[in-house]
């Protein structure tokens, strides 16, 4: 008697495998895109860190915000503070909790290598004084929370 041996997969088995892969991709791709945007946002923190210490010191000595390109210790223009995803970083006067502050405004580049959620977006790092100490708060003004690290998300 001959045995009937099955060789290969049936069409329904292959369709089930394709459906499972499609479901996994539908979940994984958006999560990966958010991860990429968060990693690109971290460059804005790195660029602003280069300005924060000098801004804090200038404010402590002069009682006002420095102006990039004109103030002593800030010889470069805003476009000089840039990166792969960051177009420029600038120091702007602002208000935080009714105290005058020095804010660092970071603008991301237009479409291209920047994630869709960060294209032409602006992140604001607010510097403010409390009891004579200069502190910084991340406040991403035009960026959706899902693209931000937890310290910058609006609660």
């Amino acid at each position: 008697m001959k045995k009937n041996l099955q060789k290969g997969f049936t069409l329904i088995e292959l369709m089930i495998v394709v459906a499972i892969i499609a479901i996994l991709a539908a979940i994984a791709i958006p999560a990966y895109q958010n991860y990429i945007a968060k990693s690109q946002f971290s460059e804005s923190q790195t660029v602003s860190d280069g300005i924060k210490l000098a801004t804090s010191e200038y404010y402590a000595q002069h009682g006002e915000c420095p102006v990039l390109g004109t103030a002593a210790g800030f010889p470069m223009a805003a476009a000089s503070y840039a990166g792969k995803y960051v177009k420029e970083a600038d120091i702007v006067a602002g208000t935080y909790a009714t105290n005058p502050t020095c804010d660092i405004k970071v603008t991301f580049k237009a479409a291209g290598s920047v994630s869709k959620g960060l294209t032409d977006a602006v992140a604001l790092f607010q510097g403010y004084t409390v009891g004579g100490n200069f502190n910084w708060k991340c406040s991403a003004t035009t960026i959706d929370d899902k693209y931000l690290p937890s310290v910058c998300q609006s609660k």
Side-chain angles (χ1 to χ4, degrees), residues 97-148:
T98 68
N99 293 330
T101 62
C102 299
D103 299 342
I104 300 172
K105 177 182 164 187
V106 179
T107 307
F108 286 91
K109 292 181 179 179
S113 62
V114 180
S115 293
K116 183 179 175 184
L118 297 178
T119 302
D120 288 324
V122 173
L124 192 64
F125 298 95
Q126 297 174 310
Y128 60 97
T129 57
V130 174
N133 295 325
F134 209 87
N135 300 307
W136 293 96
K137 179 182 184 296
C138 176
S139 172
T141 55
T142 63
I143 303 171
D144 192 357
D145 276 353
K146 67 182 178 181
Y147 301 122
L148 302 174

Side-chain angles (χ1 to χ4, degrees), residues 24-139:
L24 291 174
I27 294 169
I29 290 173
Y32 182 68
Q33 289 172 336
N34 291 350
Y35 168 77
I36 293 296
K38 283 183 180 184
S39 67
Q40 290 177 354
F41 181 84
S42 69
E43 185 182 68
S44 69
Q45 295 170 304
T46 304
V47 169
S48 67
D49 284 347
I51 306 172
K52 285 179 182 177
L53 180 61
T55 301
S56 301
E57 290 175 354
Y58 187 92
Y59 188 85
Q61 293 173 1
H62 299 91
E64 62 184 14
C65 295
V67 177
L68 289 180
T70 60
F74 297 89
M76 297 184 276
S80 299
Y81 298 96
K84 184 175 181 181
Y85 309 111
V86 171
K87 178 182 174 183
E88 65 182 15
D90 198 3
I91 301 171
V92 295
T95 56
Y96 177 79
T98 68
N99 293 330
T101 62
C102 299
D103 299 342
I104 300 172
K105 177 182 164 187
V106 179
T107 307
F108 286 91
K109 292 181 179 179
S113 62
V114 180
S115 293
K116 183 179 175 184
L118 297 178
T119 302
D120 288 324
V122 173
L124 192 64
F125 298 95
Q126 297 174 310
Y128 60 97
T129 57
V130 174
N133 295 325
F134 209 87
N135 300 307
W136 293 96
K137 179 182 184 296
C138 176
S139 172

